[in-house]
């Protein structure tokens, strides 16, 4: 069945939570890292670290779990845990497959705009056989600003050759949906179970919504 999407000449795709089913891996990275050290995490570990920076999380693990490594070693260790998942196991979302198929079927050029490290993203896209489908990949670190700012979307649009009126942004995170919408883009909100509490607000802000049907 064809998706009911806005008219567009170009598309900017978020990856994590929109195309890639990777958000659960990110949410569990601290637990998985502790497990790799032979340490059992408390049931509330996700809640304890979800609003901490990488450095703050490293300090927390040093203090609360007696991890006898430097902050940088801990950060590198957590990065390795998630990197391996991108290289070996993170799959496409069902809605991600639908979005990609729609864009290719309608010959709409699209790019990736992501907060995640380029090396990890490229590893996943190449493993999944879709790397060459993207016109290019743009990361927040390359732009110099995160998605609380519209820069990555505007730069991606310019590189695609589009403008605000003919370029559509696909995003699953509330703050990203809000940023793109405030910049003037038409936005497709994509449901992500990990952030289900934000879905109602995403539906209010975005122009079109995509949610997987559970069969």
């Amino acid at each position: 069945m064809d998706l009911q999407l806005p008219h567009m000449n170009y598309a900017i795709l978020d990856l994590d939570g929109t195309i890639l089913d990777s958000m659960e891996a990110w949410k569990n990275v601290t637990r998985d890292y502790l497990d790799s050290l032979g340490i059992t995490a408390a049931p509330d570990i996700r809640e304890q670290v979800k609003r901490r920076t990488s450095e703050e999380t490293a300090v927390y693990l040093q203090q609360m779990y007696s991890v006898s490594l430097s902050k940088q070693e801990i950060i590198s260790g957590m990065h390795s845990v998630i990197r391996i998942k991108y290289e070996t196991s993170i799959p496409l979302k069902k809605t991600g497959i639908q979005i990609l198929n729609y864009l290719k079927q309608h010959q709409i050029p699209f790019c990736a705009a992501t907060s995640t490290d380029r090396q990890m993203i490229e590893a996943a896209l190449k493993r999944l056989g879709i790397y060459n489908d993207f016109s290019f990949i743009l990361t927040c670190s390359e732009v110099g600003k995160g998605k609380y700012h519209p820069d990555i979307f505007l730069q991606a649009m310019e590189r695609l050759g589009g403008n605000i009126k003919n370029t559509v942004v696909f995003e699953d995170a509330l703050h990203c949906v809000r940023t793109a919408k405030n910049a003037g883009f038409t936005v497709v909100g994509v449901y992500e179970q990990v952030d289900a509490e934000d879905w109602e607000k995403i539906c209010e802000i975005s122009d079109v919504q995509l949610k997987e049907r559970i069969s």
Side-chain angles (χ1 to χ4, degrees):
M1 184 175 67
D2 204 11
L3 296 181
Q4 299 300 309
L5 293 176
H7 172 74
M8 69 190 93
N9 293 345
Y10 304 94
I12 299 171
L13 309 183
D14 170 59
L15 293 177
D16 294 297
T18 299
I19 302 299
L20 299 177
D21 196 1
S22 54
M23 295 310 296
E24 195 66 28
W26 277 107
K27 294 293 184 181
N28 289 325
V29 63
T30 309
R31 183 188 307 279
D32 292 342
Y33 171 66
L34 288 173
D35 185 62
S36 75
L37 300 177
I39 300 171
T40 300
D44 68 342
I45 185 66
R46 180 186 292 183
E47 289 299 313
Q48 292 297 328
V49 302
K50 72 178 184 178
R51 300 194 187 281
R52 299 176 192 264
T53 65
S54 296
E55 286 205 355
E56 289 169 343
T57 297
V59 172
Y60 179 80
L61 297 185
Q62 288 172 330
Q63 295 175 344
M64 300 303 295
Y65 288 88
S66 301
V67 177
S68 56
L69 297 169
S70 69
K71 286 192 295 184
Q72 189 53 53
E73 286 173 329
I74 293 171
I75 293 168
S76 296
M78 290 192 292
H79 186 273
S80 295
V81 166
I82 196 72
R83 175 178 51 79
I84 290 169
K85 292 182 182 293
Y86 277 87
E87 292 174 349
T88 63
S89 61
I90 285 174
L92 288 167
K93 291 184 71 168
K94 290 180 181 178
T95 43
I97 295 170
Q98 291 177 313
I99 292 166
L100 293 173
N101 286 344
Y102 178 95
L103 296 175
K104 288 188 285 187
Q105 178 185 346
H106 291 82
Q107 299 183 327
I108 298 169
F110 57 91
C111 70
T114 179
S115 301
T116 303
D117 177 77
R118 171 178 288 276
Q119 185 179 14
M120 293 194 294
I121 287 299
E122 289 187 351
L125 298 185
K126 288 175 181 178
R127 173 176 54 81
L128 293 165
I130 59 173
Y131 176 76
N132 290 327
D133 293 334
F134 290 82
S135 296
F136 58 87
I137 296 167
L138 189 61
T139 72
C140 288
S141 62
E142 293 163 351
V143 171
K145 290 184 179 179
K147 289 186 177 180
Y148 283 98
H149 305 274
D151 301 58
I152 190 168
F153 301 120
L154 295 171
Q155 288 190 28
M157 175 194 74
E158 291 173 2
R159 284 185 60 179
L160 282 170
N163 57 54
I164 289 289
K165 294 185 180 297
N166 65 14
T167 305
V168 172
V169 173
F170 292 72
E171 274 284 359
D172 70 296
L174 175 58
H175 73 282
C176 303
V177 169
R178 183 179 287 117
T179 297
K181 190 62 183 172
N182 287 344
F185 288 97
T186 296
V187 180
V188 176
V190 180
Y191 179 79
E192 170 50 55
Q193 179 62 43
V194 167
D195 296 313
E197 69 273 11
D198 293 332
W199 183 239
E200 183 176 348
K201 192 66 177 177
I202 288 172
C203 290
E204 292 175 8
I205 299 172
S206 58
D207 299 279
V208 175
Q209 300 79 42
L210 294 180
K211 185 174 182 179
E212 291 182 13
R213 291 181 173 83
I214 307 301
S215 56

